[in-house]
Amino acid sequence: MIEHSVHVQCGECPIRHRAVCARCDTDELSRLEQIKYYRSFQAGQTIIWSGDRMEFVGSVVSGIASLTQTMEDGRRQMVGLLLPSDFVGRPGRPTAAFDVTATTDLVMCCFRKKPFEELMSTTPHVAQRLLEMTLDELDAAREWMLLLGRKTAREKIASLISIIARRDAALHHRRASGALSVDLPLTREEMADYLGLTLETVSRQISALKRDGVISLEGNRHVTVPDIDRLLEEAGDDNDGGMLV
Amino acid sequence: MIEHSVHVQCGECPIRHRAVCARCDTDELSRLEQIKYYRSFQAGQTIIWSGDRMEFVGSVVSGIASLTQTMEDGRRQMVGLLLPSDFVGRPGRPTAAFDVTATTDLVMCCFRKKPFEELMSTTPHVAQRLLEMTLDELDAAREWMLLLGRKTAREKIASLISIIARRDAALHHRRASGALSVDLPLTREEMADYLGLTLETVSRQISALKRDGVISLEGNRHVTVPDIDRLLEEAGDDNDGGMLV
DNA sequence: GCCTCGCGTTGATCTGCGTCAAGGAGCCGC
DNA sequence: GCGGCTCCTTGACGCAGATCAACGCGAGGC
C-alpha cells in the first residue's frame, strides 16, 4: 500500500507525479504503470501543433515546454509555461488547442490517452485530482492576465523572475528566503512572448533592474536576487504570503 | 429516468445547467435539487471578495457577473466574464481567489459547497463534467491572454464584440449568420477592464469601427454587425469555424 | 423649469514601449 | 586563426494608447 499523499512517485520518474490521484492505492498505480511510457524531445522541437489529434496526456519530467499561440502575421503569445511536474493534455478533448514546444531538451512521462481516460472515468480520485490541477492552472492564467493587461514592462519582468523563483523553490521543496538565485530557462525572446513585450524591452528592463540593484546577473541567464521583498514590490504583487511554497 | 443529455434542466431554472452531469440519473438530480437554492444580487453588488471563505458554488441563471483583480494602486483587470449558464466556484478550495461582482442584476442557482463536493466525490460524472467546464474556461483564458498581450486596441474591441455575439448565439441556441445584433452588457469602463485599455480608448475605437462601417450603433449599447466575417477579420482571429456555435 | 449624476464622446498632449538599426560576446566548424 | 551562427545589448526615433480636460446627453429628483 502506497502512502497516502497528494503526490505519488511513479516508477523511475525523477519527480512525483501530480497527475496521479490524491488517495491512490496500489491497484490504480499499477494500472497507470501499465499504460505509461517516456518520450524525449530536443530543444526547439514542436511536440504538438494546435489542432493536432492528441494521442497522449502526460507530465513533464525534466526540461521546459511552452504553450504558444500565433497570429497569422506572426505575433506570438505564450499562454502556458510547463515546468517539471506540470501536466499536458486535455482529457476528453480530441485535439490540441495550442502549440506545445520544447523550450529546452525535454523528457515527458506519457500515458496513452484512451486508457488514461478510462482510468479517469472509473476512479473518481483521478478526475478530482485533474480538476484540482486545472483549477490551479486557471488561477495562474488569471494572474497572468493581470500581468498582461495592466502591468508595466518593469513590473512584468519582476513578476516573471519571481514566478520562476517561486516555481523553482516549490519544485525542489525548499523555501525561498532572504537572497536567492534563479536560472532563467528562457531566451529574451521567449520572455517577451511570455510577457507580451518585445525582446528589446525585456533586455532594457533587465538592465534597468540590474542598474537599480534589484537583481544582479552572472552571464545572461543566471539571476541573483539580494532582496526578494524588493523584487515582489517591483512586481506590483500584493505580497500575500510572499515566497511561501 | 431523465433523458441522457449533456445539459440537464434543473427545477424551475430558466436555463439548462452545465454544472450537472452528462449521464445523469434521477437519483443524482434529486440530490442536486435537495441542496440547491436561489440568490439574487443587484447590479454593482459584490458577490464575493477575493480571499473570502466560499460557502457555495453555482451557476448564473440570468444577468452577468464578472471576476476581477485589482492592484493596490487601483489598476483593475477583469479575468472572467460570467454569463448565464456559467459556473462559479472552485470545488475543493476553501477561499475565493478573485472578486466576483454582479455587473447587472443577477440571479444565481447555488449549491451549498460541502454537499456539492460530497456529491462530486461519489458521482464521477459530476467531477468529469466540471473538469470539462474548467478546461473550457482555461482555453478561453488563454485566448484572452493572446488578446491582452498582442492585439491592438481596435482588434481588442472587435474581438470583444465577436466574443459576446458568439456567447449570445450559443446561449439562445441559434446560429449567427450574415448580419447580427448584440447588446453589449458592459459599460465602456468595464469593457476597458476586460481588454486592458482605458475607457477613452474603448470609446474612440468603437467610434472608429462605426465610422468605418464595421459596426453600427443604436444607443450606446446596442451594436449591429452588417458583416460578421469583416468583424472577425478586424479581430485578427484566424477565423476557424467562424460563428459556429 | 433647474440641478445633479452617471455614462459616453472627443480633443490636446504626453510617454512607454515598439521599431529599426548597429554592434558586442560566446560558440562552433573548419 | 577566421567566418558565421545565435543571443543579447544599446541607441535613435516614432507611434499607439494613456492622461488630462472639456463637454454632451438622458434620467431622476424636486
Side-chain angles (χ1 to χ4, degrees), chain A residues 93-135:
Chain A
R93 311 311 175 77
T95 58
F98 307 99
D99 297 336
V100 184
T101 314
T103 295
T104 64
D105 287 344
L106 186 72
V107 178
M108 287 193 53
C109 173
C110 304
F111 303 96
R112 285 183 299 117
K113 186 147 165 286
K114 201 75 173 294
F116 186 87
E117 283 170 356
E118 280 159 18
L119 181 66
M120 213 179 81
S121 67
T122 53
T123 65
H125 298 145
V126 174
Q128 272 180 271
R129 181 73 193 110
L130 273 173
L131 176 59
E132 209 174 297
M133 291 172 57
T134 308
L135 284 168

mmCIF file of all heavy atoms in Angstrom, chain A residues 93-135:
data_model
loop_
_atom_site.group_PDB
_atom_site.id
_atom_site.type_symbol
_atom_site.label_atom_id
_atom_site.label_comp_id
_atom_site.label_asym_id
_atom_site.label_seq_id
_atom_site.Cartn_x
_atom_site.Cartn_y
_atom_site.Cartn_z
ATOM 1 N N ARG A 93 -10.834 15.783 -24.734
ATOM 2 C CA ARG A 93 -10.801 16.562 -25.969
ATOM 3 C C ARG A 93 -9.994 15.821 -27.011
ATOM 4 O O ARG A 93 -8.897 15.351 -26.715
ATOM 5 C CB ARG A 93 -10.135 17.920 -25.743
ATOM 6 C CG ARG A 93 -10.672 18.663 -24.556
ATOM 7 C CD ARG A 93 -12.182 18.669 -24.622
ATOM 8 N NE ARG A 93 -12.705 19.282 -23.420
ATOM 9 C CZ ARG A 93 -12.703 20.588 -23.217
ATOM 10 N NH1 ARG A 93 -12.209 21.390 -24.130
ATOM 11 N NH2 ARG A 93 -13.214 21.070 -22.111
ATOM 12 N N PRO A 94 -10.489 15.789 -28.225
ATOM 13 C CA PRO A 94 -9.746 15.055 -29.247
ATOM 14 C C PRO A 94 -8.501 15.784 -29.747
ATOM 15 O O PRO A 94 -7.511 15.151 -30.067
ATOM 16 C CB PRO A 94 -10.768 14.888 -30.377
ATOM 17 C CG PRO A 94 -11.754 15.989 -30.173
ATOM 18 C CD PRO A 94 -11.788 16.267 -28.710
ATOM 19 N N THR A 95 -8.560 17.115 -29.821
ATOM 20 C CA THR A 95 -7.444 17.838 -30.445
ATOM 21 C C THR A 95 -6.825 18.864 -29.500
ATOM 22 O O THR A 95 -7.434 19.286 -28.526
ATOM 23 C CB THR A 95 -7.914 18.593 -31.706
ATOM 24 O OG1 THR A 95 -8.951 19.499 -31.330
ATOM 25 C CG2 THR A 95 -8.432 17.641 -32.758
ATOM 26 N N ALA A 96 -5.612 19.257 -29.828
ATOM 27 C CA ALA A 96 -4.904 20.267 -29.043
ATOM 28 C C ALA A 96 -5.372 21.652 -29.468
ATOM 29 O O ALA A 96 -5.706 21.879 -30.631
ATOM 30 C CB ALA A 96 -3.409 20.144 -29.259
ATOM 31 N N ALA A 97 -5.412 22.588 -28.524
ATOM 32 C CA ALA A 97 -5.876 23.937 -28.830
ATOM 33 C C ALA A 97 -4.714 24.902 -29.060
ATOM 34 O O ALA A 97 -4.900 25.967 -29.637
ATOM 35 C CB ALA A 97 -6.762 24.456 -27.700
ATOM 36 N N PHE A 98 -3.515 24.531 -28.615
ATOM 37 C CA PHE A 98 -2.367 25.429 -28.719
ATOM 38 C C PHE A 98 -1.133 24.637 -29.139
ATOM 39 O O PHE A 98 -1.100 23.417 -29.009
ATOM 40 C CB PHE A 98 -2.132 26.121 -27.369
ATOM 41 C CG PHE A 98 -3.363 26.802 -26.841
ATOM 42 C CD1 PHE A 98 -4.157 26.204 -25.875
ATOM 43 C CD2 PHE A 98 -3.761 28.030 -27.346
ATOM 44 C CE1 PHE A 98 -5.314 26.818 -25.405
ATOM 45 C CE2 PHE A 98 -4.918 28.647 -26.891
ATOM 46 C CZ PHE A 98 -5.690 28.045 -25.918
ATOM 47 N N ASP A 99 -0.137 25.352 -29.626
ATOM 48 C CA ASP A 99 1.124 24.696 -29.951
ATOM 49 C C ASP A 99 1.882 24.396 -28.664
ATOM 50 O O ASP A 99 1.919 25.229 -27.757
ATOM 51 C CB ASP A 99 2.007 25.617 -30.809
ATOM 52 C CG ASP A 99 1.363 25.938 -32.148
ATOM 53 O OD1 ASP A 99 0.518 25.148 -32.604
ATOM 54 O OD2 ASP A 99 1.714 26.980 -32.732
ATOM 55 N N VAL A 100 2.486 23.229 -28.605
ATOM 56 C CA VAL A 100 3.358 22.895 -27.476
ATOM 57 C C VAL A 100 4.761 22.686 -28.029
ATOM 58 O O VAL A 100 4.949 21.915 -28.962
ATOM 59 C CB VAL A 100 2.892 21.624 -26.747
ATOM 60 C CG1 VAL A 100 3.756 21.362 -25.524
ATOM 61 C CG2 VAL A 100 1.429 21.736 -26.354
ATOM 62 N N THR A 101 5.721 23.408 -27.476
ATOM 63 C CA THR A 101 7.091 23.357 -27.971
ATOM 64 C C THR A 101 8.053 23.061 -26.832
ATOM 65 O O THR A 101 7.871 23.571 -25.719
ATOM 66 C CB THR A 101 7.480 24.720 -28.586
ATOM 67 O OG1 THR A 101 6.428 25.164 -29.430
ATOM 68 C CG2 THR A 101 8.759 24.620 -29.383
ATOM 69 N N ALA A 102 9.060 22.255 -27.104
ATOM 70 C CA ALA A 102 10.115 22.030 -26.119
ATOM 71 C C ALA A 102 11.045 23.239 -26.124
ATOM 72 O O ALA A 102 11.659 23.545 -27.134
ATOM 73 C CB ALA A 102 10.894 20.765 -26.453
ATOM 74 N N THR A 103 11.095 23.933 -24.991
ATOM 75 C CA THR A 103 11.929 25.131 -24.888
ATOM 76 C C THR A 103 13.377 24.735 -24.592
ATOM 77 O O THR A 103 14.313 25.361 -25.055
ATOM 78 C CB THR A 103 11.379 26.025 -23.761
ATOM 79 O OG1 THR A 103 10.084 26.472 -24.142
ATOM 80 C CG2 THR A 103 12.271 27.211 -23.520
ATOM 81 N N THR A 104 13.515 23.685 -23.804
ATOM 82 C CA THR A 104 14.828 23.074 -23.572
ATOM 83 C C THR A 104 14.691 21.604 -23.961
ATOM 84 O O THR A 104 13.606 21.167 -24.332
ATOM 85 C CB THR A 104 15.210 23.146 -22.083
ATOM 86 O OG1 THR A 104 14.257 22.365 -21.334
ATOM 87 C CG2 THR A 104 15.183 24.574 -21.567
ATOM 88 N N ASP A 105 15.763 20.842 -23.869
ATOM 89 C CA ASP A 105 15.619 19.391 -24.011
ATOM 90 C C ASP A 105 14.637 18.928 -22.956
ATOM 91 O O ASP A 105 14.616 19.469 -21.845
ATOM 92 C CB ASP A 105 16.978 18.705 -23.825
ATOM 93 C CG ASP A 105 17.892 18.932 -25.032
ATOM 94 O OD1 ASP A 105 17.376 19.345 -26.088
ATOM 95 O OD2 ASP A 105 19.108 18.719 -24.902
ATOM 96 N N LEU A 106 13.851 17.947 -23.326
ATOM 97 C CA LEU A 106 12.663 17.661 -22.526
ATOM 98 C C LEU A 106 12.418 16.159 -22.443
ATOM 99 O O LEU A 106 12.573 15.443 -23.415
ATOM 100 C CB LEU A 106 11.463 18.328 -23.215
ATOM 101 C CG LEU A 106 10.111 18.317 -22.527
ATOM 102 C CD1 LEU A 106 10.137 19.265 -21.337
ATOM 103 C CD2 LEU A 106 9.027 18.738 -23.499
ATOM 104 N N VAL A 107 12.031 15.708 -21.265
ATOM 105 C CA VAL A 107 11.557 14.326 -21.125
ATOM 106 C C VAL A 107 10.155 14.370 -20.558
ATOM 107 O O VAL A 107 9.885 15.093 -19.588
ATOM 108 C CB VAL A 107 12.466 13.497 -20.192
ATOM 109 C CG1 VAL A 107 11.907 12.084 -20.030
ATOM 110 C CG2 VAL A 107 13.886 13.452 -20.729
ATOM 111 N N MET A 108 9.258 13.649 -21.184
ATOM 112 C CA MET A 108 7.894 13.581 -20.681
ATOM 113 C C MET A 108 7.532 12.155 -20.332
ATOM 114 O O MET A 108 7.981 11.214 -20.981
ATOM 115 C CB MET A 108 6.919 14.092 -21.737
ATOM 116 C CG MET A 108 6.973 15.580 -21.920
ATOM 117 S SD MET A 108 5.553 16.116 -22.871
ATOM 118 C CE MET A 108 4.236 15.386 -21.933
ATOM 119 N N CYS A 109 6.717 12.037 -19.329
ATOM 120 C CA CYS A 109 6.142 10.746 -18.978
ATOM 121 C C CYS A 109 4.707 10.754 -19.490
ATOM 122 O O CYS A 109 3.879 11.532 -19.025
ATOM 123 C CB CYS A 109 6.167 10.550 -17.467
ATOM 124 S SG CYS A 109 5.311 9.081 -16.934
ATOM 125 N N CYS A 110 4.451 9.922 -20.497
ATOM 126 C CA CYS A 110 3.151 9.974 -21.173
ATOM 127 C C CYS A 110 2.276 8.790 -20.800
ATOM 128 O O CYS A 110 2.775 7.716 -20.461
ATOM 129 C CB CYS A 110 3.360 9.944 -22.687
ATOM 130 S SG CYS A 110 4.441 11.246 -23.284
ATOM 131 N N PHE A 111 0.980 9.037 -20.892
ATOM 132 C CA PHE A 111 0.019 7.951 -20.771
ATOM 133 C C PHE A 111 -0.816 7.963 -22.041
ATOM 134 O O PHE A 111 -1.241 9.044 -22.482
ATOM 135 C CB PHE A 111 -0.890 8.165 -19.571
ATOM 136 C CG PHE A 111 -0.151 8.313 -18.279
ATOM 137 C CD1 PHE A 111 0.141 9.566 -17.777
ATOM 138 C CD2 PHE A 111 0.289 7.189 -17.586
ATOM 139 C CE1 PHE A 111 0.844 9.707 -16.593
ATOM 140 C CE2 PHE A 111 0.992 7.331 -16.394
ATOM 141 C CZ PHE A 111 1.268 8.584 -15.896
ATOM 142 N N ARG A 112 -1.030 6.806 -22.611
ATOM 143 C CA ARG A 112 -1.885 6.784 -23.790
ATOM 144 C C ARG A 112 -3.256 7.305 -23.383
ATOM 145 O O ARG A 112 -3.761 6.981 -22.317
ATOM 146 C CB ARG A 112 -1.948 5.369 -24.377
ATOM 147 C CG ARG A 112 -0.639 5.030 -25.127
ATOM 148 C CD ARG A 112 -0.681 3.677 -25.794
ATOM 149 N NE ARG A 112 -0.875 2.599 -24.840
ATOM 150 C CZ ARG A 112 -1.948 1.795 -24.830
ATOM 151 N NH1 ARG A 112 -2.902 1.951 -25.724
ATOM 152 N NH2 ARG A 112 -2.064 0.844 -23.925
ATOM 153 N N LYS A 113 -3.811 8.145 -24.232
ATOM 154 C CA LYS A 113 -4.953 8.947 -23.832
ATOM 155 C C LYS A 113 -6.176 8.100 -23.532
ATOM 156 O O LYS A 113 -6.829 8.294 -22.494
ATOM 157 C CB LYS A 113 -5.261 9.952 -24.947
ATOM 158 C CG LYS A 113 -6.328 10.960 -24.627
ATOM 159 C CD LYS A 113 -6.042 12.283 -25.306
ATOM 160 C CE LYS A 113 -7.233 13.190 -25.311
ATOM 161 N NZ LYS A 113 -8.279 12.762 -26.282
ATOM 162 N N LYS A 114 -6.506 7.191 -24.423
ATOM 163 C CA LYS A 114 -7.702 6.357 -24.271
ATOM 164 C C LYS A 114 -7.715 5.623 -22.926
ATOM 165 O O LYS A 114 -8.642 5.822 -22.137
ATOM 166 C CB LYS A 114 -7.734 5.378 -25.452
ATOM 167 C CG LYS A 114 -9.082 4.771 -25.767
ATOM 168 C CD LYS A 114 -10.017 5.746 -26.450
ATOM 169 C CE LYS A 114 -11.300 5.025 -26.891
ATOM 170 N NZ LYS A 114 -11.027 4.012 -27.950
ATOM 171 N N PRO A 115 -6.698 4.804 -22.641
ATOM 172 C CA PRO A 115 -6.715 4.107 -21.352
ATOM 173 C C PRO A 115 -6.682 5.056 -20.163
ATOM 174 O O PRO A 115 -7.297 4.768 -19.125
ATOM 175 C CB PRO A 115 -5.449 3.244 -21.379
ATOM 176 C CG PRO A 115 -4.792 3.459 -22.669
ATOM 177 C CD PRO A 115 -5.602 4.365 -23.512
ATOM 178 N N PHE A 116 -6.017 6.185 -20.314
ATOM 179 C CA PHE A 116 -5.987 7.139 -19.216
ATOM 180 C C PHE A 116 -7.390 7.661 -18.935
ATOM 181 O O PHE A 116 -7.807 7.792 -17.785
ATOM 182 C CB PHE A 116 -5.047 8.308 -19.536
ATOM 183 C CG PHE A 116 -4.850 9.252 -18.384
ATOM 184 C CD1 PHE A 116 -3.861 9.019 -17.441
ATOM 185 C CD2 PHE A 116 -5.666 10.369 -18.233
ATOM 186 C CE1 PHE A 116 -3.680 9.880 -16.367
ATOM 187 C CE2 PHE A 116 -5.491 11.233 -17.164
ATOM 188 C CZ PHE A 116 -4.500 10.994 -16.226
ATOM 189 N N GLU A 117 -8.104 7.939 -19.996
ATOM 190 C CA GLU A 117 -9.475 8.431 -19.825
ATOM 191 C C GLU A 117 -10.374 7.371 -19.196
ATOM 192 O O GLU A 117 -11.253 7.690 -18.395
ATOM 193 C CB GLU A 117 -10.045 8.895 -21.172
ATOM 194 C CG GLU A 117 -9.506 10.261 -21.576
ATOM 195 C CD GLU A 117 -9.872 10.636 -23.001
ATOM 196 O OE1 GLU A 117 -10.480 9.815 -23.710
ATOM 197 O OE2 GLU A 117 -9.524 11.765 -23.403
ATOM 198 N N GLU A 118 -10.136 6.134 -19.584
ATOM 199 C CA GLU A 118 -10.914 5.051 -18.975
ATOM 200 C C GLU A 118 -10.621 4.954 -17.479
ATOM 201 O O GLU A 118 -11.521 4.819 -16.655
ATOM 202 C CB GLU A 118 -10.592 3.715 -19.651
ATOM 203 C CG GLU A 118 -11.343 3.550 -20.964
ATOM 204 C CD GLU A 118 -10.690 2.524 -21.879
ATOM 205 O OE1 GLU A 118 -9.874 1.711 -21.388
ATOM 206 O OE2 GLU A 118 -10.972 2.569 -23.095
ATOM 207 N N LEU A 119 -9.344 5.066 -17.160
ATOM 208 C CA LEU A 119 -8.945 5.050 -15.758
ATOM 209 C C LEU A 119 -9.629 6.184 -15.010
ATOM 210 O O LEU A 119 -10.128 6.031 -13.895
ATOM 211 C CB LEU A 119 -7.418 5.191 -15.657
ATOM 212 C CG LEU A 119 -6.819 5.180 -14.253
ATOM 213 C CD1 LEU A 119 -7.027 3.825 -13.608
ATOM 214 C CD2 LEU A 119 -5.342 5.523 -14.292
ATOM 215 N N MET A 120 -9.658 7.346 -15.687
ATOM 216 C CA MET A 120 -10.241 8.531 -15.081
ATOM 217 C C MET A 120 -11.728 8.336 -14.788
ATOM 218 O O MET A 120 -12.221 8.802 -13.760
ATOM 219 C CB MET A 120 -10.058 9.709 -16.028
ATOM 220 C CG MET A 120 -9.873 11.032 -15.354
ATOM 221 S SD MET A 120 -9.653 12.332 -16.590
ATOM 222 C CE MET A 120 -11.351 12.632 -17.059
ATOM 223 N N SER A 121 -12.425 7.676 -15.711
ATOM 224 C CA SER A 121 -13.879 7.557 -15.532
ATOM 225 C C SER A 121 -14.242 6.484 -14.496
ATOM 226 O O SER A 121 -15.349 6.470 -13.998
ATOM 227 C CB SER A 121 -14.552 7.267 -16.871
ATOM 228 O OG SER A 121 -14.175 5.999 -17.327
ATOM 229 N N THR A 122 -13.295 5.616 -14.200
ATOM 230 C CA THR A 122 -13.613 4.591 -13.200
ATOM 231 C C THR A 122 -13.073 4.929 -11.815
ATOM 232 O O THR A 122 -13.594 4.454 -10.819
ATOM 233 C CB THR A 122 -13.063 3.211 -13.624
ATOM 234 O OG1 THR A 122 -11.670 3.349 -13.918
ATOM 235 C CG2 THR A 122 -13.789 2.698 -14.845
ATOM 236 N N THR A 123 -12.032 5.748 -11.740
ATOM 237 C CA THR A 123 -11.506 6.118 -10.429
ATOM 238 C C THR A 123 -11.730 7.604 -10.208
ATOM 239 O O THR A 123 -11.046 8.441 -10.785
ATOM 240 C CB THR A 123 -10.000 5.839 -10.320
ATOM 241 O OG1 THR A 123 -9.322 6.668 -11.230
ATOM 242 C CG2 THR A 123 -9.690 4.404 -10.635
ATOM 243 N N PRO A 124 -12.699 7.938 -9.374
ATOM 244 C CA PRO A 124 -13.073 9.345 -9.198
ATOM 245 C C PRO A 124 -11.904 10.212 -8.722
ATOM 246 O O PRO A 124 -11.847 11.388 -9.038
ATOM 247 C CB PRO A 124 -14.191 9.292 -8.156
ATOM 248 C CG PRO A 124 -14.180 7.915 -7.598
ATOM 249 C CD PRO A 124 -13.518 7.037 -8.572
ATOM 250 N N HIS A 125 -10.969 9.622 -7.995
ATOM 251 C CA HIS A 125 -9.877 10.437 -7.464
ATOM 252 C C HIS A 125 -9.021 11.058 -8.552
ATOM 253 O O HIS A 125 -8.526 12.158 -8.421
ATOM 254 C CB HIS A 125 -8.987 9.594 -6.541
ATOM 255 C CG HIS A 125 -9.728 9.087 -5.357
ATOM 256 N ND1 HIS A 125 -9.492 7.863 -4.797
ATOM 257 C CD2 HIS A 125 -10.709 9.642 -4.631
ATOM 258 C CE1 HIS A 125 -10.302 7.674 -3.770
ATOM 259 N NE2 HIS A 125 -11.055 8.745 -3.658
ATOM 260 N N VAL A 126 -8.817 10.302 -9.630
ATOM 261 C CA VAL A 126 -8.003 10.831 -10.723
ATOM 262 C C VAL A 126 -8.670 12.061 -11.329
ATOM 263 O O VAL A 126 -8.039 13.091 -11.553
ATOM 264 C CB VAL A 126 -7.747 9.759 -11.797
ATOM 265 C CG1 VAL A 126 -7.039 10.361 -12.991
ATOM 266 C CG2 VAL A 126 -6.915 8.625 -11.221
ATOM 267 N N ALA A 127 -9.974 11.951 -11.568
ATOM 268 C CA ALA A 127 -10.695 13.086 -12.139
ATOM 269 C C ALA A 127 -10.650 14.278 -11.187
ATOM 270 O O ALA A 127 -10.428 15.418 -11.607
ATOM 271 C CB ALA A 127 -12.141 12.709 -12.436
ATOM 272 N N GLN A 128 -10.809 14.004 -9.901
ATOM 273 C CA GLN A 128 -10.776 15.108 -8.932
ATOM 274 C C GLN A 128 -9.410 15.761 -8.870
ATOM 275 O O GLN A 128 -9.282 16.973 -8.791
ATOM 276 C CB GLN A 128 -11.160 14.584 -7.545
ATOM 277 C CG GLN A 128 -12.647 14.612 -7.318
ATOM 278 C CD GLN A 128 -12.995 14.089 -5.939
ATOM 279 O OE1 GLN A 128 -13.204 12.899 -5.772
ATOM 280 N NE2 GLN A 128 -13.033 14.984 -4.971
ATOM 281 N N ARG A 129 -8.373 14.917 -8.924
ATOM 282 C CA ARG A 129 -7.005 15.447 -8.905
ATOM 283 C C ARG A 129 -6.758 16.311 -10.135
ATOM 284 O O ARG A 129 -6.169 17.380 -10.051
ATOM 285 C CB ARG A 129 -6.020 14.278 -8.858
ATOM 286 C CG ARG A 129 -4.571 14.674 -8.801
ATOM 287 C CD ARG A 129 -4.204 15.226 -7.436
ATOM 288 N NE ARG A 129 -2.906 15.878 -7.493
ATOM 289 C CZ ARG A 129 -2.723 17.183 -7.403
ATOM 290 N NH1 ARG A 129 -3.751 17.985 -7.214
ATOM 291 N NH2 ARG A 129 -1.525 17.704 -7.487
ATOM 292 N N LEU A 130 -7.231 15.863 -11.279
ATOM 293 C CA LEU A 130 -7.052 16.626 -12.513
ATOM 294 C C LEU A 130 -7.820 17.937 -12.446
ATOM 295 O O LEU A 130 -7.346 18.976 -12.904
ATOM 296 C CB LEU A 130 -7.527 15.819 -13.718
ATOM 297 C CG LEU A 130 -6.477 14.910 -14.325
ATOM 298 C CD1 LEU A 130 -7.099 14.041 -15.395
ATOM 299 C CD2 LEU A 130 -5.347 15.732 -14.919
ATOM 300 N N LEU A 131 -9.004 17.877 -11.858
ATOM 301 C CA LEU A 131 -9.791 19.093 -11.704
ATOM 302 C C LEU A 131 -9.029 20.104 -10.847
ATOM 303 O O LEU A 131 -8.928 21.278 -11.203
ATOM 304 C CB LEU A 131 -11.143 18.770 -11.065
ATOM 305 C CG LEU A 131 -12.041 19.965 -10.746
ATOM 306 C CD1 LEU A 131 -12.343 20.756 -12.012
ATOM 307 C CD2 LEU A 131 -13.339 19.518 -10.092
ATOM 308 N N GLU A 132 -8.463 19.605 -9.773
ATOM 309 C CA GLU A 132 -7.693 20.472 -8.886
ATOM 310 C C GLU A 132 -6.536 21.139 -9.644
ATOM 311 O O GLU A 132 -6.307 22.342 -9.545
ATOM 312 C CB GLU A 132 -7.137 19.593 -7.757
ATOM 313 C CG GLU A 132 -6.923 20.279 -6.444
ATOM 314 C CD GLU A 132 -6.520 19.237 -5.386
ATOM 315 O OE1 GLU A 132 -7.331 18.331 -5.091
ATOM 316 O OE2 GLU A 132 -5.391 19.341 -4.887
ATOM 317 N N MET A 133 -5.838 20.333 -10.437
ATOM 318 C CA MET A 133 -4.708 20.868 -11.189
ATOM 319 C C MET A 133 -5.153 21.888 -12.232
ATOM 320 O O MET A 133 -4.494 22.896 -12.457
ATOM 321 C CB MET A 133 -3.977 19.727 -11.888
ATOM 322 C CG MET A 133 -3.262 18.810 -10.932
ATOM 323 S SD MET A 133 -2.628 17.368 -11.781
ATOM 324 C CE MET A 133 -1.612 18.177 -13.007
ATOM 325 N N THR A 134 -6.281 21.599 -12.872
ATOM 326 C CA THR A 134 -6.783 22.507 -13.899
ATOM 327 C C THR A 134 -7.215 23.824 -13.272
ATOM 328 O O THR A 134 -6.992 24.896 -13.835
ATOM 329 C CB THR A 134 -7.943 21.862 -14.670
ATOM 330 O OG1 THR A 134 -7.526 20.579 -15.123
ATOM 331 C CG2 THR A 134 -8.340 22.699 -15.864
ATOM 332 N N LEU A 135 -7.797 23.737 -12.074
ATOM 333 C CA LEU A 135 -8.166 24.962 -11.363
ATOM 334 C C LEU A 135 -6.916 25.774 -11.003
ATOM 335 O O LEU A 135 -6.922 27.003 -11.095
ATOM 336 C CB LEU A 135 -8.959 24.625 -10.098
ATOM 337 C CG LEU A 135 -10.415 24.219 -10.324
ATOM 338 C CD1 LEU A 135 -11.011 23.622 -9.058
ATOM 339 C CD2 LEU A 135 -11.245 25.417 -10.782
#
